[in-house]
Amino acid sequence: QVQLVESGGGLVQAGGSLRLSCVASGSIFSIGTMAWYRQAPGKERELVAMTISDGGARYGDSVKGRFTISRDNVKNTVYLQMTSLNPEDTAVYYCSAFIRVTTWNTPTNYWGQGTQVTVSS
């Protein structure tokens, strides 16, 4: 069974920084795309950043230049370094990963339980 567990959320003042981590564990053969999404109250879940297995990255327009996604393929971990945070970044942040548990099955999209990030003004 595969699990994604996020950590690093919390309360921070505007202009501050946080680093989120997400560790994938369980019976894992390989991990493809890993990503961070967020969902604010009353809003749809949106893509924050994603990284493919070779390290290439893509960002949502609202976080470009402020957030950086990275991954450690040995540790099966994806990180999100967030800087210059503002109250509009307040949301639950979710980790997502496409994981193969065997050589022959297609990748399955797994999600973490989410971690709350609150930015005060």
Side-chain angles (χ1 to χ4, degrees):
Q1 188 168 352
V2 173
Q3 280 191 314
L4 298 181
V5 178
E6 302 105 331
S7 61
L11 174 64
V12 64
Q13 288 188 331
S17 300
L18 280 176
R19 188 193 196 207
L20 305 183
S21 300
C22 172
V23 181
S25 64
S27 180
I28 296 171
F29 175 73
S30 66
I31 303 177
T33 300
M34 302 185 83
W36 289 95
Y37 288 78
R38 68 185 181 186
Q39 187 166 20
K43 294 187 177 181
E44 293 186 353
R45 189 172 296 191
E46 65 172 349
L47 174 69
V48 176
M50 65 188 305
T51 177
I52 57 178
S53 56
D54 68 357
R58 192 179 86 188
Y59 296 91
D61 289 340
S62 62
V63 307
K64 284 180 182 176
R66 300 188 299 123
F67 291 9
T68 303
I69 190 170
S70 61
R71 64 191 288 168
D72 184 328
N73 292 327
V74 174
K75 296 181 178 180
N76 290 340
T77 300
V78 63
Y79 305 96
L80 185 68
Q81 179 67 50
M82 305 185 292
T83 63
S84 301
L85 285 160
N86 59 64
E88 289 70 39
D89 295 315
T90 295
V92 178
Y93 284 70
Y94 297 91
C95 173
S96 163
F98 282 85
I99 296 174
R100 290 178 185 265
V101 297
T102 64
T103 59
W104 58 84
N105 72 331
T106 56
T108 299
N109 189 198
Y110 291 89
W111 291 85
Q113 80 288 353
T115 185
Q116 177 70 46
V117 171
T118 302
V119 184
S120 63
S121 58

